[in-house]
Amino acid sequence: MKTHENIIEKQDIQIGSNKSFGIVFAVVFFVIALWPLMEEGTFRVWALVTGIFLFFISFIYPSIYKPFNYIWFKFGLLLGKIVTPIVMGFLYFFTITPTALIMRTLKKRPLDLEFDDSLDSYWKYRDPPGPSSESMKNQF
């Protein structure tokens, strides 16, 4: 089956660094620790300590995150293969399909695709005419 993109071959996707992986999870734990302060609660000490620990380990010994980073990377790839078709399906069936049904109901045809023997050309002339072709020299 020929398509415009090759979905069979593996794409060369680079895994992120172990240091950035540790920093991201440290930030996640900082957010978990400080989130209750938004509603006048107390911060979570366990999450703050975990975030500080993860942050410092990210700089001191980042290779400890290698197996976790790899698992997280593979999980992201799997999640992308599952979620992307679902999101695209929702977009298609809840935006494009209703738009097509509404346009068919209203008998709107934005593209005149029917063949007409009586026409010399399918060119549409503007009335009043648009700007002159000399005004389009430096468009960008």
Side-chain angles (χ1 to χ4, degrees):
M1 184 169 102
K2 293 276 186 178
T3 62
H4 69 283
E5 62 181 323
N6 192 350
I7 58 175
I8 306 284
E9 287 183 17
K10 252 185 159 176
Q11 296 176 351
D12 188 26
I13 301 173
Q14 298 291 327
I15 190 168
S17 72
N18 296 328
K19 182 193 259 186
S20 64
F21 174 80
I23 291 172
V24 166
F25 272 90
V27 169
V28 167
F29 277 98
F30 287 141
V31 169
I32 291 171
L34 300 176
W35 192 267
L37 295 176
M38 292 181 63
E39 297 175 0
E40 298 181 13
T42 59
F43 67 92
R44 297 180 176 116
V45 177
W46 64 270
L48 185 66
V49 170
T50 305
I52 292 170
F53 177 74
L54 290 175
F55 184 77
F56 284 116
I57 292 296
S58 299
F59 290 99
I60 297 168
Y61 189 55
S63 62
I64 198 168
Y65 293 127
K66 186 171 184 162
F68 304 110
N69 192 10
Y70 181 77
I71 292 169
W72 189 254
F73 176 72
K74 290 296 185 180
F75 175 68
L77 292 177
L78 175 68
L79 200 60
K81 286 185 178 184
I82 294 170
V83 171
T84 301
I86 293 170
V87 169
M88 295 305 286
F90 273 110
L91 282 174
Y92 182 80
F93 288 113
F94 291 111
T95 59
I96 296 174
T97 303
T99 302
L101 293 174
I102 291 168
M103 290 183 74
R104 285 184 183 174
T105 303
L106 299 175
K107 297 191 184 342
K108 298 283 185 183
R109 301 280 304 210
L111 298 175
D112 292 328
L113 297 177
E114 290 82 24
F115 184 72
D116 190 357
D117 283 335
S118 64
L119 295 175
D120 293 332
S121 171
Y122 287 98
W123 188 264
K124 299 209 183 231
Y125 294 98
R126 290 179 60 169
D127 188 30
S132 67
S133 60
E134 288 81 28
S135 70
M136 299 292 214
K137 291 201 188 270
N138 296 321
Q139 295 182 42
F140 303 102

